[in-house]
Amino acid sequence: MRALPAGEAAVLVEVADGEQAQALHAELERRRAAGELGMVTEVVPAARTVLVDGLADPRAFAADVVRWRVPPLAPAATGAVELAVRFDGPDLAEVADRWGMSPADVAATVTGTAFRVAFCGFSPGFGYLTGLPPELAVPRRASPRTSVPPGSVGLAGPYAGVYPRASPGGWQIIGTTDAVLWDAGRDPAALLAPGTAVRFTAEDAVGPAAAPAAGR
């Protein structure tokens, strides 16, 4: 673990991998809820880092945090957010081929996996979901699409995710959900936050992979 200064009141903590970053984020949130972190305003996880902002004494925190014994990530204590998915994505057949299974088995694998939001980014409401075993990681598309429809469920590297709105993207699209990932009129606006448990459910039978929309 390494702690780096990040401005006047923040520290960026680097760890070895995503699992350690999620465990550190959970430990920081536990300590903040217990009132042990003073006036900390932000705890922001990323792939292998956690940013802690609003520290009264960043140097003291940096010297202290590297000595913490962070417990392993515990199973989610609250109920999972369920997202109903139609497994009809244009890349479903390619993912099935990479995984050496049928499209129906891809759907069964995804719906049988307990996901967790590791961190958010890319666009408002987009959560990077971990849970799939490392051997099922898939590469991003060689040619990203210029526009991916909102609600598209995709895979890239070790992550799964849902596009909150239309945007360019290179993830392998395996399905679609009607869930609203981001609503500025809702409190909180984001359906998914770091640490949230997520389960996908199959909305209907797995159909043939749809052809990519023109211009995407």
Side-chain angles (χ1 to χ4, degrees), residues 22 73 75-76 78-81 83 85 87 99 106-118 127-133 136 153-155 158-161 174 192-193 195-201:
Q22 292 179 65
L73 191 63
T78 57
V81 172
L83 302 177
V85 178
F87 286 90
W99 287 5
V106 171
T109 298
V110 171
T111 56
T113 298
F115 289 94
R116 178 191 292 263
V117 181
Y128 288 75
L129 311 181
T130 57
L132 287 170
L136 295 186
V153 179
L155 304 174
Y159 302 111
I174 61 172
L192 306 180
T196 301
V198 177
R199 281 194 178 277
F200 293 106
T201 61

Side-chain angles (χ1 to χ4, degrees), residues 10-213:
V11 168
L12 184 69
V13 185
E14 290 184 343
V15 294
D17 54 36
E19 186 172 347
Q20 289 187 23
Q22 292 179 65
L24 176 60
H25 171 254
E27 177 65 8
L28 284 160
E29 290 291 12
R30 185 193 68 77
R31 294 190 182 216
R32 180 159 71 159
E36 299 175 12
L37 297 181
M39 300 300 291
V40 162
T41 55
E42 298 282 353
V43 178
V44 184
R48 292 193 303 110
T49 63
V50 182
L51 179 72
V52 185
D53 197 5
L55 294 162
D57 190 341
R59 286 192 176 187
F61 175 81
D64 183 45
V65 69
V66 296
R67 295 195 295 266
W68 287 7
R69 288 190 176 183
V70 178
L73 191 63
T78 57
V81 172
E82 292 194 354
L83 302 177
V85 178
R86 297 180 293 280
F87 286 90
D88 57 359
D91 302 319
L92 178 61
E94 182 176 334
V95 171
D97 185 59
R98 288 184 177 276
W99 287 5
M101 59 180 69
S102 69
D105 287 338
V106 171
T109 298
V110 171
T111 56
T113 298
F115 289 94
R116 178 191 292 263
V117 181
F119 57 96
C120 296
F122 174 56
S123 67
F126 190 97
Y128 288 75
L129 311 181
T130 57
L132 287 170
E135 62 269 23
L136 295 186
V138 298
R140 293 170 184 264
R141 289 175 50 81
S143 298
R145 295 183 170 94
T146 57
S147 180
V148 178
S152 295
V153 179
L155 304 174
Y159 302 111
V162 181
Y163 284 74
R165 61 183 180 183
S167 63
W171 290 43
Q172 305 279 358
I173 305 303
I174 61 172
T176 309
T177 179
D178 292 329
V180 178
L181 276 293
W182 178 264
D183 181 352
R186 186 173 59 196
D187 185 18
L191 180 63
L192 306 180
T196 301
V198 177
R199 281 194 178 277
F200 293 106
T201 61
E203 186 171 280
D204 51 22
V206 178

